[in-house]
């Protein structure tokens, strides 16, 4: 495996972006970034202190009156500039993600998706409409929809640019100001976006971006009395802490996009090659570090041997290696913590199921590489069937009939994405209705999605929905105005 790690982006921003200025953290503190490919330190990034997080919120609060007073189209002008700058920075963003969290530059698409979102939201501000009613005699009543004020956004490391834009753009176009905290594992693309926010000319304080660990600056944001909405994507553990912090402070609204243990169900009439190709991609893409990856596959027993044979062969085209090389399509796991956690799940999986693909980590390798791993015939109550592994590890089990597989698929606390492969339309729709999941793919699986469809989880996979048609609502309060109209 060739490990090169020689990016074209030699220098990059690592400071905090508060009130339109790049600043070091108030106590000069920094945290290390270690390459997941070489296990060597390559950068130091500013660690936002409690004071820094408070300063970012204060800047956002001060910027709110003027920003919210602008027309949606005046706000949208900045969005269009930012979208163009993000597209121009495609290569830099791809390389920065490869450096910090090991995502292969091949197939990097987030810059396009982020620019699409910005261009969409640039035009969407006028959808913030109220209603009116003549239904109460003697009154003309109406609702107004208004921004909350300061919105907090806390994002994970696996697809950072998308989360950064998909949370902040609807909040900003609705007239809120924002403080975004990036993940300590992948802060470089958010810091890069901050340089583009500055270039796009957003007024100071409107869009603040800070880096650092969750228990320090993230904790300040989730407890902050001046933050009225917080949008979070990450683990269930942190989601629960954020909800508790909201309850203990000002009962801010909380939107949570959390983890998954997504099932994919393959019926005998499915297009087998397509089902194999797509379920394999789902669990391998981004080295399995995807909330909605199909980590449990249920195949009808009549086609299981063929499916498993093709699935194993499919993994043969994986090119594991330096994520900066164009031919690599399987990078390392994001960091040592993720790597160790996945290895321990693999050890656990060996005790409960039959491992038919996967290997011991090569001793000579310093990076955090995990071979795609397949377990068969694992008991439904085994740890690896119940808990989110967040790596390229999949359990393939069999089923006999529809009721049995629905019960197995739903026997989880998660409910983010379920997939069904069948040519029988009635069966597909029956399954779509029965599966306890925020998203159901029919003859497709994750990460297939649609930007104008709500995305979010049932059960412990989340609270609320995000997406082009619903996100604006997350960031607008509703005010009822009751107007008495005097008789002549
Ligand atoms: P994480 O919960 O460890 O961290 C997410 C963010 O929360 C980071 O920015 C972190 O610094 C911050 N944080 C940590 N502790 C905090 C605290 N006490 N207060 C405030 N903020 C805190 O999650 P992760 O490891 O970055 O991401 C992986 C998880 O995210 C997986 O569970 C995955 O399924 C989930 N995820 C969900 C979706 C979705 O859309 N549903 C998408 C991607 C990832």
């Amino acid at each position: 495996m060739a490990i090169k790690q020689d990016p074209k982006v030699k220098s990059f921003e690592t400071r905090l972006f508060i009130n339109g200025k790049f600043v070091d953290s108030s106590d000069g503190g920094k945290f290390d970034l270690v390459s997941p490919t070489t296990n060597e330190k390559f950068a130091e990034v500013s660690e936002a202190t409690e004071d820094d997080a408070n300063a970012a919120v204060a800047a956002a609060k001060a910027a709110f009156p003027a920003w919210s007073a602008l027309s949606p189209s005046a706000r949208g002008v900045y969005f269009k500039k930012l979208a163009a700058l993000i597209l121009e920075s495609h290569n830099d963003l791809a390389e920065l993600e490869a450096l910090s969290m090991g995502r292969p530059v091949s197939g990097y698409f987030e810059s396009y998706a982020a620019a699409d979102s910005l261009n969409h939201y640039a035009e969407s501000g006028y959808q913030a409409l109220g209603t009116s009613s003549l239904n109460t005699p003697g009154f003309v009543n109406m609702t107004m929809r208004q921004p909350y004020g300061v919105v907090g956004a806390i994002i994970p490391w696996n697809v950072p640019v998308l989360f950064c834009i998909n949370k902040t753009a609807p909040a900003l176009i609705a007239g809120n100001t924002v403080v975004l905290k990036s993940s300590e594992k992948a802060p470089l693309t958010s810091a890069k976006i901050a340089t583009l926010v500055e270039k796009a000319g957003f007024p100071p304080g409107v869009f603040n971006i800070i880096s650092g660990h969750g228990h320090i600056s993230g904790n300040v944001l989730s407890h902050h009395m001046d933050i009225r909405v917080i949008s979070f994507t990450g683990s269930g553990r942190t989601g629960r802490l954020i909800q508790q912090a909201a309850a203990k402070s000002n009962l801010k609204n909380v939107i949570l996009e959390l983890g998954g243990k997504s099932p994919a169900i393959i019926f005998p009439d499915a297009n087998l090659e397509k089902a194999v190709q797509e379920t394999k991609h789902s669990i391998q893409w981004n080295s399995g570090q995807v909330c909605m990856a199909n980590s449990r596959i249920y195949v009808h027993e009549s086609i299981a041997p063929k499916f498993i044979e093709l699935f194993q062969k499919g993994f043969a085209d994986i090119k594991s290696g330096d994520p900066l090389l164009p031919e690599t399509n399987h990078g390392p796991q994001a960091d040592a913590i993720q790597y160790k956690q996945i290895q321990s799940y693999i050890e656990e999986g060996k005790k409960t199921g039959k491992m038919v693909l996967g290997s011991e980590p090569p001793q000579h390798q310093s990076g955090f590489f995990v071979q795609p791993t397949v377990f068969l015939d694992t008991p439904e109550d085994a740890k690896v069937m119940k808990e989110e592994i967040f790596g390229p590890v999949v359990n393939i089990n069999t089923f006999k009939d529809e009721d049995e597989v629905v019960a197995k698929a739903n026997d989880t606390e998660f409910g983010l994405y379920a997939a069904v492969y069948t040519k029988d339309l009635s069966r597909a729709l029956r399954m779509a209705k029965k599966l306890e999941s925020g998203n159901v793919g029919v003859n497709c699986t994750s990460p297939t999605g649609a930007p104008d469809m709500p995305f979010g989880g049932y059960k412990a996979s989340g609270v609320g929905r995000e997406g082009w048609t619903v996100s604006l609502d997350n960031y607008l309060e509703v005010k009822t105005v009751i107007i008495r109209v005097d008789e002549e």
Side-chain angles (χ1 to χ4, degrees):
M1 178 193 309
I3 302 292
K4 174 172 81 100
Q5 285 280 298
D6 182 18
K8 290 186 200 75
V9 205
K10 300 279 184 205
S11 69
F12 38 80
E13 187 54 69
T14 56
R15 291 171 297 170
L16 314 172
F17 185 62
I18 300 175
N19 206 17
K21 291 198 174 62
F22 284 95
V23 290
D24 290 321
S25 51
S26 49
D27 66 356
K30 293 179 191 278
F31 61 93
D32 292 345
L33 276 191
V34 172
S35 159
T37 310
T38 62
N39 198 7
E40 282 164 13
K41 175 180 158 180
F42 71 97
E44 291 181 345
V45 176
S46 292
E47 171 79 62
T49 60
E50 293 187 6
D51 286 350
D52 296 325
N54 283 324
V57 177
K61 191 177 176 184
F64 174 69
W67 179 252
S68 58
L70 291 178
S71 71
S73 46
R75 288 182 214 127
V77 170
Y78 300 102
F79 281 51
K80 297 214 166 175
K81 287 187 191 156
L82 183 58
L85 289 164
I86 286 179
L87 287 178
E88 279 171 25
S89 309
H90 170 87
N91 291 341
D92 286 3
L93 290 166
E95 287 201 353
L96 291 173
E97 223 68 277
L99 284 178
S100 60
M101 57 75 71
R103 162 80 63 76
V105 292
S106 67
Y108 184 79
F109 71 94
E110 280 102 300
S111 48
Y112 306 125
D116 254 8
S117 266
L118 280 163
N119 284 324
H120 163 79
Y121 284 116
E123 307 280 346
S124 74
Y126 285 99
Q127 289 164 16
L129 297 172
T131 57
S132 64
S133 163
L134 298 177
N135 293 332
T136 304
F139 287 82
V140 176
N141 296 332
M142 67 164 99
T143 59
M144 293 176 177
R145 297 177 77 212
Q146 293 175 299
Y148 283 82
V150 183
V151 166
I154 300 181
I155 60 170
W157 45 268
N158 61 339
V159 201
V161 169
L162 266 196
F163 295 126
C164 169
I165 297 303
N166 286 342
K167 290 185 187 303
T168 57
L172 288 165
I173 202 69
N176 302 278
T177 52
V178 301
V179 178
L180 175 124
K181 191 197 83 64
S182 60
S183 164
E184 61 281 9
K185 295 185 188 181
L188 299 183
T189 45
S190 295
K192 173 75 188 178
I193 300 276
T195 68
L196 305 181
V197 167
E198 185 188 39
K199 268 195 195 160
F202 278 82
V206 166
F207 195 162
N208 305 276
I209 298 182
I210 60 175
S211 47
H213 285 76
H215 63 283
I216 308 170
S217 49
N219 195 43
V220 171
L221 299 184
S222 56
H223 284 90
H224 209 292
M225 295 300 286
D226 286 334
I227 290 187
R228 295 290 164 191
V229 183
I230 201 149
S231 179
F232 170 76
T233 297
S235 64
R237 186 191 149 273
T238 309
R240 284 178 162 87
L241 290 175
I242 287 175
Q243 216 170 34
Q244 281 168 18
K248 281 186 195 150
S249 54
N250 58 354
L251 276 176
K252 55 180 67 64
N253 287 1
V254 178
I255 302 141
L256 300 175
E257 296 285 1
L258 310 174
K261 193 74 187 172
S262 296
I265 301 168
I266 325 293
F267 283 97
D269 62 345
N271 177 333
L272 201 63
E273 279 75 22
K274 198 165 182 291
V276 167
Q277 168 55 29
E278 293 180 356
T279 52
K280 185 205 68 143
H281 175 70
S282 175
I283 191 65
Q284 182 264 325
W285 180 70
N286 207 13
S287 299
Q289 303 167 132
V290 182
C291 52
M292 53 182 160
N294 54 216
S295 50
R296 294 182 294 149
I297 301 179
Y298 293 103
V299 193
H300 191 267
E301 59 181 9
S302 64
I303 52 163
K306 186 75 190 155
F307 181 91
I308 293 161
E309 184 197 328
L310 292 175
F311 197 91
Q312 285 181 255
K313 272 195 197 142
F315 270 136
D317 64 7
I318 282 171
K319 292 199 175 48
S320 183
D322 184 347
L324 286 167
L325 294 174
E327 63 270 25
T328 299
N329 64 12
H330 191 85
Q333 306 309 129
D335 71 354
I337 301 171
Q338 292 300 125
Y339 175 80
K340 282 182 195 147
Q341 191 168 304
I342 295 164
Q343 291 300 348
S344 89
Y345 275 115
I346 291 176
E347 289 312 309
E348 182 72 29
K350 286 184 197 164
K351 291 182 209 154
T352 48
K354 184 174 152 208
M355 189 170 93
V356 291
L357 196 76
S359 63
E360 301 297 326
Q363 295 304 307
H364 64 275
Q365 221 174 243
S366 48
F368 308 125
F369 291 88
V370 175
Q371 287 298 104
T373 302
V374 180
F375 289 110
L376 302 181
D377 305 329
T378 303
E380 290 294 316
D381 60 355
K383 199 171 169 192
V384 292
M385 288 292 283
K386 291 286 177 211
E387 295 179 13
E388 184 183 44
I389 299 175
F390 223 54
V393 181
V394 65
N395 298 292
I396 305 181
N397 277 356
T398 59
F399 69 95
K400 287 185 172 58
D401 62 52
E402 220 174 283
D403 287 346
E404 177 200 352
V405 78
V406 167
K408 285 179 172 172
N410 286 341
D411 187 16
T412 167
E413 260 316 294
F414 294 110
L416 195 54
Y417 197 119
V420 185
Y421 284 84
T422 177
K423 292 196 184 103
D424 180 338
L425 182 62
S426 295
R427 172 153 64 198
L429 293 178
R430 267 195 314 275
M431 296 292 289
K433 196 172 155 196
K434 287 179 187 167
L435 288 164
E436 296 166 358
S437 179
N439 304 270
V440 177
V442 173
N443 293 320
C444 63
T445 185
S446 63
T448 305
D452 63 347
M453 289 286 117
F455 183 84
Y458 271 36
K459 304 197 270 190
S461 282
V463 175
R465 294 290 181 273
E466 293 187 313
W468 286 359
T469 51
V470 290
S471 280
L472 214 55
D473 290 339
N474 291 335
Y475 303 110
L476 287 165
E477 267 287 20
V478 178
K479 179 183 286 173
T480 294
V481 183
I482 314 269
I483 307 164
R484 187 191 301 278
V485 179
D486 290 338
E487 296 295 318
E488 268 184 304

